[in-house]
Amino acid sequence: MQPRDIAAYSFLALAWGLSFLLLLKVVEAFGWIGAVTFRSLIAGILLLAAAKLTHRRLVFDARWWHYAAVGATTVAGQLIGLSYSTPMIGTAMAAIFVATIPMFSMIIAQVWGMERITPARVIGIATGTLGIVMLVGFPAVPVDATFVLGCLGMVFSTFSAALGSNYAARFLSSAGPWEVTIGSFLSAGFVTLPLLALVPVPGTPQPIDYLYLVSLAGLMSALTYVVYFGLVARIGPTRAISVEFVVTVVAVLVGAFVLHEELTTIQLLGAAVIIAGCAMVLGLLPLRRRTA
């Protein structure tokens, strides 16, 4: 990779890994639906303003429902599951679930006929599934309804992210990263806005909470997605999506050393197994037959 690609890769890993700290603050102040709705709308509006100030020409030439579909899955679905589950199961476990996105993405791509499955990828899927069993089946906390719901929420989150990414690759491949990011975030904000009637903001946020919200939306949503789509264009989706592995490492370290969350030894091994399985799926650790 070129120096600019290494810088972009490192920025994404740190920004997304550290975003869990702000996520907990924002969810506490605005609720898990409010966190998603306001984060999405602010991210989209900030990008529109930035495009206007920099005289960037935006061309939304794709059908509006394609942007809405990506917004409902990659943004709304992913962030709803993440915002709902992280306070329930902790930053470290939520981050380990994030590492399964490449595995789900490959399965969806195979079903849609976008990629060809190989024996190495089958082994990778089986390995990643084993890692999830190790992660969920041997927690450091009691396995109660809250824990189970939190895990189910993260499965919904990661599957939504993988589904939306494949949808974007299939129907929005010709759209620019700014257009895809703006369209998907604004769509997600409007899709989740009515849900505030069911899950209202729990109280009166403090001024510092608004700072957390704008930082999460501007730096760790709008900017990161533009950087990510640009990285995909330069180094390809397979190598770009591998940044989720580093995100998991950063977030687990944050959970362990900053938030003092507990993980069992088997869970840590499960995290390593998940990462190894996803690396096989992505072809980063290919299994090749020895030739005579």
Side-chain angles (χ1 to χ4, degrees), residues 67-155:
Y67 298 107
V70 175
T73 51
T74 295
V75 180
Q78 178 180 194
L79 294 184
I80 283 176
L82 196 62
S83 300
Y84 175 77
S85 299
T86 301
M88 300 171 73
I89 64 176
T91 297
M93 273 202 66
I96 295 172
F97 272 106
V98 167
T100 63
I101 292 177
M103 184 175 66
F104 284 132
S105 180
M106 194 282 295
I107 295 174
I108 295 170
Q110 168 63 27
V111 172
W112 285 2
M114 298 171 63
E115 290 187 5
R116 184 177 63 87
I117 197 167
T118 62
R121 290 182 171 182
V122 173
I123 295 174
I125 293 173
T127 302
T129 303
L130 174 62
I132 294 175
V133 172
M134 296 170 66
L135 175 67
V136 176
F138 303 91
V141 297
V143 179
D144 53 14
T146 299
F147 178 81
V148 173
L149 287 174
C151 291
L152 291 176
M154 281 308 304
V155 172

Side-chain angles (χ1 to χ4, degrees), residues 179-244:
E179 287 82 357
V180 174
T181 306
I182 292 171
S184 59
F185 269 102
L186 289 179
S187 298
F190 288 119
V191 165
T192 57
L193 186 59
L195 297 179
L196 282 172
L198 300 176
V199 187
V201 176
T204 303
Q206 301 301 310
I208 188 65
D209 296 323
Y210 290 99
L211 178 61
Y212 292 145
L213 176 61
V214 173
S215 299
L216 187 64
L219 296 178
M220 298 173 176
S221 294
L223 180 59
T224 53
Y225 268 74
V226 171
V227 171
Y228 174 72
F229 285 125
L231 190 64
V232 169
R234 293 193 300 272
I235 70 174
T238 297
R239 297 173 70 189
I241 203 171
S242 67
V243 73
E244 298 291 0

